[in-house]
Amino acid sequence: MKKLLSVLLAAGMVFSVTACGASSESTASTETNTAEAASAETASTETASGEFTTVTDGVLTMSTNAAFPPYEMTTDSGDFEGIDVEIAGAIADKLGLELQVDDMDFDAALLAVQQGKSDMVMAGVTVTDERKAVMNFTDSYANGIQSVIVLEDSDIASIDDMQGKLIGTQAGTTGYIYCSDTPENGGFGEDNVIAYDNGITAVQALMNGQVDCVVIDNAPAQEFVKANPGLKILDTEYANEDYAIGVNKDNTALLDAINGALAELKADGTVDSIVAKYINTDSGDAASSTAE
Ligand code: ARG
């Protein structure tokens, strides 16, 4: 498959060169060249099965927010690692591309793909209807649960106890979106929710007494609680979600190519083994492995 894709990729390159040739010739004889260019274009779409474009030739640019362990984080030496980073690397390999990770705020990572500045956003992104309206999603590769982190001696023992409390979240995340919704819609009202730049800042605010709880995806919640004594996670889950990769609405060829690679990586156990490397599923951790 990898071979097939690179062959098709090479075919794609030939076609784009042809297209360029046609348009640069257009100074010579106008009419025929418009037709030539048009036919060159048709030719390149005809081979569309394996052909796609990326922001930078030969590179798969992934926008993310690398403050979300174990999905994406930075090592002490400044490298990127995590479940998403490794799956993205495996996808890039399959597509014959080099992975480039662009680290930014979570909102910015979602926006980058919509504006065509990145090829995909992979950041533990939950599939929602609102996001589906502005980007395409690949098949899901993991599940997430919105959990609630509290201080060990907190009087919050259930979701209901959160009414009227101050809730910390990460800006732009589903944790923020759900919590800031109206009580009729299962939220707690905007005034009761504070959005922080990233998850760990929200957890620090909890430890400093600035908020009463933090709502965040379970896998990073586990990591933050492990790293900071005095915190615990409520047993009840606030929401259950699917993670997928977001791709620009106009780039369905790339979406298909990523889906093809992802299906292979699920089928041959690569996705499972990457997840298992970072999450111990035996201990009841939330982010279970592959979806469907
Ligand atoms: N799953 C949540 C969402 O999609 C949070 C994702 C946050 N990801 C990150 N890398 N900070 O809204």
Side-chain angles (χ1 to χ4, degrees):
M1 186 61 188
K2 187 175 179 181
K3 227 188 205 141
L4 176 66
L5 275 168
S6 31
V7 170
L8 288 168
L9 205 63
M13 281 169 171
V14 172
F15 279 115
S16 48
V17 168
T18 317
C20 281
S23 58
S24 60
E25 271 165 31
S26 64
T27 34
S29 73
T30 37
E31 265 160 56
T32 40
N33 273 303
T34 329
E36 246 174 62
S39 73
E41 250 171 55
T42 323
S44 74
T45 32
E46 261 169 42
T47 59
S49 44
E51 191 190 326
F52 51 82
T53 53
T54 55
V55 173
T56 308
D57 263 358
V59 177
L60 183 66
T61 307
M62 152 183 173
S63 54
T64 196
N65 168 248
F68 195 72
Y71 284 92
E72 42 269 330
M73 58 273 192
T74 37
T75 62
D76 292 339
S77 55
D79 293 328
F80 297 110
E81 64 171 1
I83 295 170
D84 287 344
V85 178
E86 288 202 28
I87 295 178
I91 291 172
D93 264 3
K94 287 237 177 238
L95 302 184
L97 301 170
E98 191 195 311
L99 178 68
Q100 183 190 313
V101 179
D102 284 353
D103 185 21
M104 58 194 85
D105 283 348
F106 182 66
D107 308 31
L110 293 175
L111 218 63
V113 78
Q114 294 168 57
Q115 296 173 337
K117 291 179 188 155
S118 73
D119 295 308
M120 61 179 199
V121 53
M122 194 167 186
V125 180
T126 301
V127 179
T128 68
D129 288 341
E130 288 74 14
R131 289 176 184 163
K132 271 187 185 165
V134 292
M135 64 181 80
N136 284 333
F137 280 105
T138 63
D139 299 329
S140 176
Y141 63 90
N143 302 326
I145 289 172
Q146 291 298 316
S147 332
V148 185
I149 310 177
V150 293
L151 296 179
E152 250 158 18
D153 59 359
S154 173
D155 58 354
I156 300 176
S158 70
I159 306 290
D160 286 345
D161 296 341
M162 288 163 64
Q163 294 294 345
K165 301 282 188 182
L166 210 48
I167 304 165
T169 59
Q170 181 184 11
T173 63
T174 47
Y176 177 81
I177 296 164
Y178 302 152
C179 288
S180 59
D181 210 336
T182 58
E184 301 80 70
N185 289 331
F188 302 92
E190 225 176 331
D191 294 347
N192 295 309
V193 187
I194 301 183
Y196 293 91
D197 282 348
N198 57 52
I200 191 61
T201 334
V203 170
Q204 276 153 2
L206 172 64
M207 294 189 294
N208 296 336
Q210 289 158 325
V211 293
D212 301 305
C213 61
V214 168
V215 172
I216 192 162
D217 305 51
N218 186 262
Q222 302 273 0
E223 299 283 331
F224 294 146
V225 167
K226 222 189 297 166
N228 298 283
L231 302 176
K232 66 176 183 190
I233 298 172
L234 294 189
D235 279 339
T236 29
E237 55 184 66
Y238 180 54
N240 201 312
E241 7 187 74
D242 288 327
Y243 291 169
I245 304 168
V247 179
N248 188 282
K249 275 245 173 222
D250 294 331
N251 204 348
T252 50
L254 181 62
L255 180 79
D256 293 346
I258 294 175
N259 266 334
L262 194 56
E264 287 177 29
L265 295 167
K266 281 184 190 178
D268 71 6
T270 306
V271 170
D272 274 344
S273 68
I274 292 173
V275 172
K277 195 172 142 186
Y278 289 95
I279 296 177
N280 176 5
T281 32
D282 298 341
S283 68
D285 278 1
S288 64
S289 57
T290 49
E292 74 262 23

